[in-house]
Amino acid sequence: MKPPIKVAITGAGGQIGYSLVFRIAAGEMFGTDTPVELRLIDLERQVPIIDGVKMELDDCAFPLLKKVVTTTDLAEGFADANWVILVGSVPRKDGMERKDLLEINGKIFVGQGQAIEKNAAPDVRILVVGNPCNTNCLIAKASAPKIPANRWFAMTALDENRAKTQLAQKTSTDVDAVKNMIIWGNHSATQFPDYFHATINGKAATELIENDWLENSFVETVQKRGAAVIKARGASSAGSAANAIIDSVRRIITPTPEGESFSMAVPSDGSYGVPEGLIFSFPLKSKDESYEIVQGVEHDELAQTKIAATLQELQEEQAAVQGMLG
Ligand code: LMR
């Protein structure tokens, strides 16, 4: 059997953590032939909860789960970690925008970036989920300059999944039939779910669905879905966020089928005019343990305006945290 993959999760005592860890331990993230070790990291006041989650993980007798560590100590939690999932952050409440969280959460990510650089495995990859995830990723990455840029990810798989389902339901097709649903930019209400390039059973979504619905209802539903869930549940998405974490890691580690792409926010290499280093959601293709940003996607004027808006928001966020970028 392969050596275990060590997965560290911050905020592990929260709702996303609870929806996530059992699925990782069952083999849904790395496959049923790959053992795992879990590091459940959380704040002091959450210790009874993560200890309880560990008890439950033990009680599942998962054959792939080789070890579970619960800790408040980042050095212990990140030690030799191959994957770090940064979930912990102060969650958005009803009426708050992600920008409100910048100050509160930014500082946490400085310490976490430093601790990852110091303690994690040489091949560590980091997925930032805690909001505002693009800019938190920017901060953590700036605090860990020795870790290569292609190891940092901020999650827009949840937006991609939401968008795919909207298109599938609208056309009464299986969600599997929807491909190339690109999310551009920020994981926020300015993101651009790019229906122009999405296909359904190989046909352009724009051929199958009326433009008015795509341009207005669809875009807005996807952009504001997180807020709608918060309003409905009184708490932010947890099950769907955990599911998107599993999907994110699987999409990164599995070669992307020819002609397809998936969405993920990564450090820009200057593609599509996005300034280098900004954590921006692009279409990616995974390949040979790494990825490339899909090139050559063309945008009409409307799409360009929308991409410019989300880029501007990310640049404003970057300016707001400049002091934390070292
Ligand atoms: C989501 O998209 O559901 C989460 O990022 C929570 C939020 O603040 O929207």
Side-chain angles (χ1 to χ4, degrees):
M1 209 177 222
K2 303 176 186 172
I5 295 186
K6 299 186 179 78
V7 187
I9 302 157
T10 64
Q15 288 202 20
I16 296 177
Y18 195 72
S19 303
L20 176 67
V21 293
F22 298 94
R23 295 184 61 183
I24 300 177
E28 285 190 51
M29 188 174 265
F30 299 106
T32 48
D33 59 347
T34 307
V36 289
E37 274 188 35
L38 289 174
R39 315 284 178 67
L40 311 183
I41 307 169
D42 216 322
L43 305 174
E44 197 62 49
R45 63 167 188 272
Q46 296 284 93
V47 166
I49 297 176
I50 48 177
D51 285 347
V53 173
K54 177 181 178 332
M55 287 164 67
E56 283 205 71
L57 282 164
D58 288 345
D59 295 347
C60 291
F62 285 118
L64 293 172
L65 184 58
K66 298 303 168 194
K67 193 172 170 186
V68 183
V69 173
T70 62
T71 183
T72 59
D73 178 30
L74 293 180
E76 184 186 8
F78 295 150
D80 301 320
N82 308 103
W83 272 94
V84 174
I85 320 281
L86 298 178
V87 177
S89 68
V90 176
R92 187 158 69 115
K93 310 251 165 48
D94 194 12
M96 275 170 96
E97 272 309 316
R98 284 172 180 72
K99 273 193 222 164
D100 302 330
L101 296 178
L102 273 175
E103 263 300 300
I104 312 173
N105 284 326
K107 295 186 191 105
I108 303 173
F109 287 82
V110 171
Q112 291 184 347
Q114 290 167 344
I116 294 167
E117 180 175 271
K118 212 161 163 205
N119 299 285
D123 68 350
V124 66
R125 282 185 273 189
I126 306 102
L127 174 67
V128 183
V129 177
N131 281 318
C133 64
N134 298 55
T135 298
N136 288 339
C137 182
L138 185 77
I139 296 169
K141 178 177 170 292
S143 309
K146 289 191 196 130
I147 299 179
N150 67 357
R151 311 280 190 74
W152 295 89
F153 305 90
M155 191 167 88
T156 51
L158 179 52
D159 310 294
E160 177 181 340
N161 289 348
R162 287 167 169 163
K164 281 180 168 166
T165 299
Q166 291 299 317
L167 295 181
Q169 289 180 350
K170 180 72 179 171
T171 50
S172 305
T173 33
D174 285 343
V175 76
D176 265 13
V178 184
K179 308 280 185 210
N180 293 326
M181 186 52 250
I182 308 169
I183 305 294
W184 297 92
N186 203 359
H187 170 66
S188 79
T190 66
Q191 68 175 274
F192 176 46
D194 181 356
Y195 53 87
F196 291 107
H197 297 96
T199 60
I200 304 166
N201 281 322
K203 283 211 176 105
T206 50
E207 275 176 37
L208 300 171
I209 305 171
E210 67 273 21
N211 184 62
D212 183 52
W213 184 86
L214 288 167
E215 189 176 328
N216 298 303
S217 177
F218 167 75
V219 170
E220 192 173 326
T221 301
V222 177
Q223 287 177 331
K224 299 193 174 156
R225 187 66 160 190
V229 171
I230 293 171
K231 205 166 171 46
R233 266 179 26 96
S236 57
S237 316
S240 56
N243 180 67
I245 293 171
I246 303 266
D247 282 347
S248 298
V249 173
R250 289 200 65 80
R251 288 170 190 166
I252 293 166
I253 64 176
T254 312
T256 309
E258 202 42 52
E260 294 184 19
S261 67
F262 63 98
S263 299
M264 187 78 60
V266 294
S268 174
D269 59 357
S271 293
Y272 298 97
V274 177
E276 210 173 320
L278 209 63
I279 310 291
F280 196 91
S281 183
F282 291 107
L284 304 187
K285 268 181 100 63
S286 193
K287 199 172 142 193
D288 305 330
E289 301 284 305
S290 189
Y291 66 82
E292 59 192 39
I293 297 173
V294 175
Q295 300 297 321
V297 180
E298 287 179 8
H299 301 294
D300 71 1
E301 213 170 300
L302 177 74
Q304 282 175 25
T305 310
K306 290 190 179 298
I307 290 172
T310 195
L311 173 59
Q312 186 183 338
E313 183 184 50
L314 279 168
Q315 288 181 303
E316 284 166 14
E317 291 186 15
Q318 181 182 32
V321 301
Q322 201 57 48
M324 295 185 217
L325 300 179

